[in-house]
Amino acid sequence: MNEVLQQKAKELGNLITQTEEYKRVKELQAAMFADEKALAMLKEVQQLQNRNQNKQKLNELTKEDLKEVEQAELKMLENDLIKSFHEAQTDFQRLLNFVMKDVIEASK
C-alpha cells in the first residue's frame, strides 16, 4: 500500500476513535459485558443462532427455529444496556457511512 495513503488511513482511524459515537459504543460495550444478565441474554441468542446455522447446513432449519431466535432477539432488546448499545452501534455506523460517502465523493 502507498505509504502516504496508509498514514492518512491511520490518521482517519485515530480521528474516528476520538468521536463521541465511538466512545459511547466502547463505554456501553464494556458495561454490557460486565452485566451478568445482559451477557447471559447475548450468549443465549448466540447459541440459538449457532444452532440454526448448523441446522441450516443439514437442511433441518424450521420456521419454529427462526421464530425462537427472533423472540430471543426481541427479548434481548428489552434489556436497557443492550438496547442502548444497539442504538450506539447504529449511531456509530451512521458516522462511518457518512465518512465513507465523503471518501467516495472525493474519488470522483
Side-chain angles (χ1 to χ4, degrees):
M1 183 189 292
N2 179 310
E3 197 173 305
V4 172
L5 182 60
Q6 190 173 17
Q7 180 59 37
K8 294 294 182 184
K10 287 180 182 180
E11 288 175 25
L12 178 58
N14 286 331
L15 288 171
I16 287 171
T17 63
Q18 294 173 28
T19 65
E20 290 304 314
E21 292 87 348
Y22 178 85
K23 290 175 184 177
R24 181 126 174 91
V25 165
K26 290 309 226 179
E27 172 189 313
L28 288 168
Q29 182 181 47
M32 187 177 61
F33 287 147
D35 184 270
E36 289 181 25
K37 187 176 178 181
L39 196 54
M41 293 174 114
L42 290 168
K43 286 181 180 180
E44 177 187 354
V45 168
Q46 185 175 26
Q47 287 173 347
L48 289 171
Q49 289 171 337
N50 289 342
R51 180 202 66 191
N52 282 3
Q53 286 177 349
N54 291 332
K55 282 187 163 191
Q56 187 173 22
K57 289 177 188 175
L58 300 170
N59 208 19
E60 298 174 352
L61 188 62
T62 66
K63 289 181 182 179
E64 290 78 22
D65 293 327
L66 295 173
K67 190 165 185 97
E68 185 178 8
V69 170
E70 183 181 329
Q71 292 298 319
E73 288 172 343
L74 289 172
K75 181 181 176 187
M76 183 179 69
L77 288 175
E78 291 175 4
N79 178 285
D80 289 338
L81 269 176
I82 295 173
K83 184 178 179 183
S84 294
F85 174 73
H86 185 266
E87 290 168 355
Q89 273 188 314
T90 300
D91 291 342
F92 182 60
Q93 186 60 53
R94 208 173 286 126
L95 171 72
L96 293 178
N97 291 344
F98 179 76
V99 169
M100 192 61 190
K101 180 182 171 206
D102 284 349
V103 169
I104 291 169
E105 284 295 318
S107 69
K108 289 183 178 179

